């Protein structure tokens, strides 16, 4: 167990960040799944903008790798265009 005040604070802050990152990542994954289930092109195109923004935010905060973000956005865009 940590003995220093700063180490204890680091443990607390890391836990808060971990929980928030997990929440944001899971929310984005659910949004991606919801987008893939949409059948109507106009609705999917509107949702794609929101989901792309969520993916970009995850990549910016290094929750996911930037290449993974690019792959996800590319695949989702192809899916929406194929509708």
């Amino acid at each position: 167990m940590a003995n220093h005040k700063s180490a204890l604070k680091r443990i607390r802050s890391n836990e808060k960040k971990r929980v928030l990152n997990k929440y944001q990542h899971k929310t984005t994954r659910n949004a991606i799944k919801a987008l893939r289930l949409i059948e109507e092109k106009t609705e999917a195109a509107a949702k794609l903008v929101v989901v792309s923004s969520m993916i970009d935010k995850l990549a910016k905060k290094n929750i996911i790798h930037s290449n993974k973000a690019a792959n996800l956005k590319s695949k989702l865009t192809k899916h929406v265009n194929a509708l």
Side-chain angles (χ1 to χ4, degrees), residues 11-27:
I11 290 169
R12 288 194 309 270
S13 63
N14 284 346
E15 179 62 18
K16 285 181 190 173
K17 288 175 189 173
R18 184 188 69 79
V19 170
L20 182 63
N21 288 343
K22 183 180 174 185
Y23 170 77
Q24 290 173 339
H25 196 187
K26 185 65 176 175
T27 304

Side-chain angles (χ1 to χ4, degrees), residues 29-66:
R29 286 199 309 258
N30 288 338
I32 290 169
K33 287 176 189 171
L35 175 61
R36 287 195 174 125
L37 292 175
I38 295 174
E39 298 293 330
E40 191 179 330
K41 185 170 180 137
T42 56
E43 188 182 345
K47 181 88 170 170
L48 178 64
V49 175
V50 175
V51 173
S52 293
S53 174
M54 293 171 81
I55 292 170
D56 285 336
K57 286 176 187 172
L58 290 181
K60 184 179 180 184
K61 295 179 181 179
N62 289 324
I63 297 172
I64 61 173
H65 196 274
S66 58

